Amino acid sequence: MADDYNLLGLGELTSLVTNVKVSLWGAEVLVECLYDPMGDRIPYSLIFKDCREIGWNVHDEEEVGEPLADLIGIHLGEDAHRKPAAIHTDIFEIAILYGSFRVEKDAIAQQNPWQKQPENVAK
């Protein structure tokens, strides 16, 4: 599998997958990750929209209860449903045929905008 990890613009350090959320009846897939797990532990998300197909393969059944999966490789495929993305971890592999894709860095702060800017909190 060709690896597109550097195209994510995160840096050279490793990542862990912390969660995979499928919503809108499979039309949206959110892959939550943690960059530099031994250092800064920076959260980010891979967001796939307008998904048409999702293929899931668990290849280490003994590890399915683990809270973290090592991100081994990623191929971003092509948007507009041309080629599926493939995310490979030590526990599972997922293939996603998608319409659009984006990386959301510092995902936790973006989900909760009040966290970084306390002056915005309603009084």
Side-chain angles (χ1 to χ4, degrees):
M1 171 173 52
D3 192 30
D4 292 336
Y5 186 72
N6 289 333
L7 297 177
L8 300 177
L10 300 168
E12 298 294 323
L13 299 175
T14 190
S15 287
L16 298 173
V17 175
T18 61
N19 201 3
V20 177
K21 295 180 181 177
V22 178
S23 60
L24 302 173
W25 302 111
E28 184 173 302
V29 177
L30 171 71
V31 181
E32 296 175 341
C33 302
L34 194 60
Y35 174 72
D36 187 17
M38 302 304 286
D40 292 333
R41 300 182 64 88
I42 301 167
Y44 69 96
S45 295
L46 309 175
I47 302 167
F48 298 90
K49 299 246 183 195
D50 189 23
C51 300
R52 301 263 174 91
E53 294 179 21
I54 302 169
W56 193 283
N57 181 28
V58 174
H59 49 77
D60 192 347
E61 297 86 15
E62 295 176 5
E63 299 293 323
V64 295
E66 292 298 316
L68 304 170
D70 292 325
L71 183 62
I72 295 172
I74 183 168
H75 177 63
L76 296 177
E78 293 180 20
D79 62 1
H81 311 106
R82 292 177 289 180
K83 289 186 182 174
I87 299 170
H88 183 74
T89 75
D90 61 331
I91 300 172
F92 69 91
E93 184 170 343
I94 187 170
I96 306 164
L97 188 63
Y98 63 95
S100 64
F101 164 82
R102 77 175 189 270
V103 176
E104 196 171 273
K105 298 176 185 174
D106 198 12
I108 291 175
Q110 290 181 10
Q111 289 174 5
N112 184 2
W114 310 117
Q115 185 176 355
K116 280 198 167 189
Q117 301 173 5
E119 65 274 5
N120 290 337
V121 175
K123 296 178 182 176

